[in-house]
Amino acid sequence: MNMSECINYCAQKGIISGFERRKFGGWMGRAVRLACALFSGFYLYTSWFGIVSTESHLGIYFMASIGLSLILFRPSPGGERVSFVDWTLVTFIVVSLLYWMYQYEFLINQLGWEARLQDTLLGAGVILISLEAARRTTGLIIPAVCVLFLIYAYVGPYLPGILRHDGFPVWRIIEYNFVTTEGMLGQIANIFASYIFVFVIFGAFLERSGLGQLFMDAALALTGRMTGGPGLADCFSSGLMGMVSGSPVANVVTTGAFTIPLMKRVGYKPSFAAAVEAAASTGGQYMPPIMGAAAFILAEFTETPYIEVVKISIIPAILYFGAVGAMVYLEARKTNLVGLSREELPPIKAVLQRSYLFLPVPVIIVLMVNGFSPFFSAVCAIITTVVLSWFRKDTRMGPREIYEALIRGTQSSLVVGSLVGALGVIMGTCLLTGLPARLSELVTILSGGILPLVVLMILISGYIVGMGLPATPAYVILSLFGVPALAKLGVPPLTAHMIVFWVAVNSVITPPVALASMAAAAIAGADPYRTGFQSVKLGSWLYLMPFLFLYTPILLNGTTAEVVRSIFTAFCALVAWAAAVEGYMAVKTRTWERCLLFAAAFGLLHAGWVTDVAGVGVLLFVLVSQLRLQKRIARAA
């Protein structure tokens, strides 16, 4: 199931507040599909041969993303035809962006002077239409947040205390967001056009090649017979799928349609089975090499090569999946769930015969390690995917299949691309008003300059922001005030952004929005909110990762010996945490044992020798206590 189909599925189930994608037939369907294929093809061309100009690179992406979103997504439930109003909005966007591209140098040179009325009207129209595109795909929350930011820029002189600023006239607010490189057609648009779009197309080609089914078969072949096998297979397959997906919701709908029924069949409760899928799929946004839109924005914000972000993310991502897997295993032990029979599992030999399909992933990594740009590496990986597809008749990609993959790439990208204008408005307005500095100062004051309290406040803010926003806008908003607050206390920029990034991604499992949890609950036939809170429990390790980033060299910012030691202690911490959260180790934990496990987990989040030795010692003490209790129970039985 591709991303556009995921959105339709989630909309039909009431999972997301946006509306379904239109289904066109006849000449209209052919025209829209051709436009989607040309859109993908153009950016593959520029990724290989280089961009024509900065303004065309940004303008065409913005114009096509917003225009196609208005055509493909309904303004309200019902109705397949594109209305006169929709065509008017699309025409306005096309004309405005063509004007912006043609007049780019003039508009840039006129910055600082009062804008012409025509420029102000065009800019205002583009802003409003961008918010409408965001509303159609994600609902009212993101446009409402943008409107609040725009109002804040205007009413600054009338606000009290730390929020007060001098205020700006309407023309200046519009000009800053429409013309400058800090607004809608600036950094965010460049990241989307240069990196995210090409990687989404790459994912569409991989999907067509049969790699997703290979991931599922490999996970079942390796873990299916273990205790609670389908749950562990779900964690493993979601981790593999996350390497090429970068979208938790797409991951849920792709793998969950198969693994959730299996988990229910071996005895998992529906809400727990759905929560396993949601929590595991969330880790897909942490798993390199394709970590979703927010990771590319992180690399751009920190001016860090994307391959460096990939390198430092590998160990934290594996730890996250290890924590989810440990909780799933302990739940299976606690409820006596068995694995699948050998006859129900795909044979290892058949999996190995198709393992060559995995080659595009190391290709993209090797190219980036050797200094090639991420988008050029993605194009090379796409070519590799097409070549490998010819090894088997059932996966062979001819002109028709390539055409379909290009169309799917564009349609999948619109879920994020429709937000390019809205995110640009948030970014531009914050920079215009200096709001991030004010909010970071407020965070510092409230925390008393105590670093753990600052992180705790960011965690709380991330939970609140994530209740209404997807991961990418949540990360953008949190980074604007969270990163400066951490930087004031001496936290390196990359570490600060990694903390905010990990906190922001939790939005896909935290109720009431919780897109991944709701999608999984719909598949499992479970209560959505019970699933959401179960997902938060299973994914709770992500709330500890910021402290590992701060107090250990887990981000590869130490010597080899220090990094190895931090990996070992982090593994011990996740075992202790999983046992404490589940209330089970060898047998059900007693209250004092559970308290000691929580203490051990927190102690192991610090790199000091005293805390490491004490934490490992407490963990071993509780394990021995559990094994003795298990023997006593066995003798009594």
Side-chain angles (χ1 to χ4, degrees), residues 248-406:
V249 178
N251 202 335
V252 165
V253 182
T254 303
T255 62
F258 183 73
T259 57
I260 289 176
L262 276 181
M263 284 188 277
K264 290 171 65 177
R265 184 155 64 83
V266 300
Y268 286 103
K269 294 179 181 178
S271 60
F272 189 84
V276 171
E277 177 61 49
S281 295
T282 298
Q285 204 145 351
Y286 300 134
M287 179 61 77
I290 303 173
M291 300 163 60
F296 289 99
I297 297 175
L298 183 154
E300 191 72 15
F301 281 1
T302 58
E303 298 181 350
T304 303
Y306 184 69
I307 187 61
E308 294 300 320
V309 176
V310 168
K311 288 178 184 177
I312 66 173
S313 298
I314 293 173
I315 295 172
I318 292 173
L319 288 173
Y320 174 82
F321 281 104
V324 176
M327 291 188 201
V328 170
Y329 178 75
L330 291 174
E331 175 71 16
R333 287 285 305 274
K334 183 166 58 176
T335 52
N336 296 315
L337 301 180
V338 297
L340 300 171
S341 65
R342 185 184 298 274
E343 292 73 22
E344 296 177 282
L345 302 176
I348 289 287
K349 183 178 179 181
V351 173
L352 293 176
Q353 287 175 344
R354 291 179 291 145
S355 60
Y356 64 87
L357 291 173
F358 191 68
L359 185 61
V361 176
V363 164
I364 206 170
I365 295 173
V366 169
L367 287 174
M368 286 195 293
V369 167
N370 283 278
F372 291 95
S373 65
F375 43 87
F376 179 82
S377 303
V379 175
C380 292
I382 289 172
I383 296 171
T384 305
T385 302
V386 174
V387 172
L388 293 175
S389 73
W390 279 75
F391 287 16
R392 290 171 63 94
K393 185 177 180 180
D394 59 326
T395 62
R396 193 169 296 162
M397 298 182 68
R400 181 182 295 274
E401 288 75 19
I402 293 172
Y403 183 67
E404 291 294 331
L406 291 173

Side-chain angles (χ1 to χ4, degrees), residues 62 92-93 95-97 99-100 107 115-131 150 170-180 183-185 421 425:
F62 191 101
F92 188 93
I93 279 290
V95 171
S96 300
L97 268 296
Y99 170 81
W100 180 84
L107 293 172
R116 297 179 300 179
L117 178 60
Q118 65 191 56
D119 298 336
T120 301
L121 293 176
L122 286 176
V126 171
I127 290 173
L128 293 175
I129 294 172
S130 298
L131 300 189
L150 292 170
V170 172
W171 68 265
R172 176 58 176 157
I173 298 171
I174 294 173
E175 176 192 60
Y176 198 87
N177 282 290
F178 178 55
V179 176
T180 70
M184 295 187 298
L185 289 147
V425 167

Side-chain angles (χ1 to χ4, degrees), residues 222-238:
L222 292 173
T223 63
R225 297 191 67 193
M226 299 172 64
T227 300
L232 296 177
D234 182 80
C235 294
F236 190 33
S237 62
S238 292

Side-chain angles (χ1 to χ4, degrees), residues 21-24 70-75 80-81 86:
R21 191 168 60 84
R22 289 180 171 116
K23 301 177 181 65
F24 296 112
L70 294 170
I71 292 173
L72 285 169
F73 288 89
R74 302 168 179 170
E80 292 295 327
R81 299 187 63 182
D86 287 339

Side-chain angles (χ1 to χ4, degrees), residues 3-21 73-74 77 133-142 247-250 252-253 414-416 418-419 467-471 507-508 512-520 522 528-529:
M3 190 60 183
S4 59
E5 291 169 337
C6 294
I7 293 299
N8 286 348
Y9 177 87
C10 295
Q12 291 166 0
K13 295 293 184 179
I15 297 164
I16 61 174
S17 51
F19 302 108
E20 291 184 63
R21 191 168 60 84
F73 288 89
R74 302 168 179 170
R135 183 192 71 84
R136 293 190 186 192
T137 56
T138 62
L140 283 170
I141 294 179
I142 292 178
S247 170
V249 178
V252 165
V253 182
L414 295 181
V415 181
V416 174
S418 61
L419 302 179
M467 290 170 68
L469 295 176
S507 64
V508 296
V513 176
L515 296 183
S517 298
M518 301 304 174
Y529 289 98

